[in-house]
Amino acid sequence: MNKVTNYISEAFEELKSNVTWPTWEEVQKLTIVVAVFSVIIALATWGIDTVFGKAIAGFFNWIKG
């Protein structure tokens, strides 16, 4: 158990002393960038899924008849 406690203590010390944290403004800007790209990727995925779904449905309707 002492090893786990020591590991956690060293990890927190590393975070406090050796990590360069971004400013609040940088965090806000990067959060907006991530949100915008997430929406773009979601819309692209939805669009591709819709196109392939219709193509597959058309293919099976063509096979039926």
Side-chain angles (χ1 to χ4, degrees):
M1 187 65 182
N2 191 24
K3 287 183 180 181
V4 173
T5 305
N6 190 29
Y7 174 80
I8 292 171
S9 174
E10 288 177 3
F12 276 113
E13 185 60 36
E14 181 92 14
L15 288 171
K16 287 193 294 185
S17 60
N18 295 337
V19 174
T20 303
W21 296 98
T23 64
W24 180 243
E25 291 79 23
E26 287 176 317
V27 171
Q28 289 175 328
K29 288 177 186 175
L30 293 174
T31 300
I32 291 170
V33 169
V34 168
V36 167
F37 275 101
S38 295
V39 169
I40 291 170
I41 296 298
L43 289 173
T45 303
W46 170 77
I48 291 169
D49 181 55
T50 301
V51 168
F52 278 110
K54 288 183 180 183
I56 290 172
F59 176 73
F60 281 116
N61 285 336
W62 176 69
I63 289 176
K64 274 183 173 178

